[in-house]
Amino acid sequence: MKKTIIFTLLLALVAVATPVFAASSILKQAAAVCDASLNSGDAAVVELGFTESSAKPQNPFGEKVFEKKADGQTLIVTTGKKFRKSFCELYLPNGTQEDYQAIRAELAKQFNTDGVNYDDSVDGKPYRGEIWSDKEAMDNGNVSDLKLEGTKLASLFIQFSAVKFRQTQDRTGLILEMMKR
C-alpha cells in the first residue's frame, strides 16, 4: 500500500513537471539554433541538424526556412532581416499553451521581469503574446542588456495561438522570435 502511494505520487510529480521540462528544452533549443543563426549564419543552422526547406517563409520578414524533427516535434526555423536587424524564429506547430506558460515563466525569471503583454486574445480567439526588449535598443524596452545564451538581443517575442489568424500569419502553435541587437 505504501509503495503504491509513493509510486502514484512520483507519477503525479512527473506529469506536472513534464511541460516545464519540455519548455526548458524548447527554450534551450531555440537559444542554441538562434544563437548559431544570428552569430554564425544559416550554415550553422544546418550544422545543428536542420535541413533547408523550399517552403515559403510564413513570417513576412523571413528569407530562409529550415526544418528538423526532434523529440517527436517538428521544429521550423525562419531566418531573415526585420527592421534591418537579423532575426531568427523557432516555430513549433504542435506547441501547447502549457509550453507557452512554462517558457514565459522561465523567461520572466531569467530577466527578472514579465514581458510586455502583446495581446491576451484577439476577437475572442485564444492567443497569448509577450515581448521582452532591450532598453538601449528600443524606446519602451523593459530589460537592461537583454541576452539569451550570450547573444545580445533587441527583442525576444513569444506567441501561442490555438487557432489560425492574421497575428500569427495563420499559424497555430508556439512561436519564439529573437531579433539581434
Side-chain angles (χ1 to χ4, degrees), residues 75-88:
L75 309 174
I76 300 170
V77 173
T78 301
T79 61
K81 293 235 184 248
K82 186 175 186 177
F83 311 117
R84 294 183 298 215
K85 296 182 188 286
S86 295
F87 84 92
C88 172

Side-chain angles (χ1 to χ4, degrees), residues 65-133:
V65 177
F66 302 86
E67 292 186 24
K68 175 182 175 177
K69 293 257 189 216
D71 301 325
Q73 176 102 248
T74 299
L75 309 174
I76 300 170
V77 173
T78 301
T79 61
K81 293 235 184 248
K82 186 175 186 177
F83 311 117
R84 294 183 298 215
K85 296 182 188 286
S86 295
F87 84 92
C88 172
E89 175 189 271
L90 179 67
Y91 169 49
L92 291 89
N94 296 319
T96 66
Q97 187 162 353
E98 288 79 17
D99 293 331
Y100 170 89
Q101 299 285 14
I103 291 169
R104 185 228 158 277
E106 193 170 326
L107 291 169
K109 182 179 176 184
Q110 181 173 340
F111 299 133
N112 295 316
T113 186
D114 289 332
V116 175
N117 189 19
Y118 194 73
D119 278 314
D120 203 4
S121 67
V122 175
D123 297 330
K125 295 176 180 160
Y127 170 81
R128 299 287 313 195
E130 207 158 340
I131 188 167
W132 286 263
S133 52

Side-chain angles (χ1 to χ4, degrees), residues 9 31 38 40 44 53 59 132 162 173:
L9 285 172
L38 294 171
S40 302
S53 172
N59 184 311
W132 286 263

Side-chain angles (χ1 to χ4, degrees), residues 41-60:
D42 292 333
V45 175
V46 173
E47 287 177 21
L48 290 172
F50 285 82
T51 304
E52 189 168 349
S53 172
S54 60
K56 182 179 182 239
Q58 290 180 287
N59 184 311

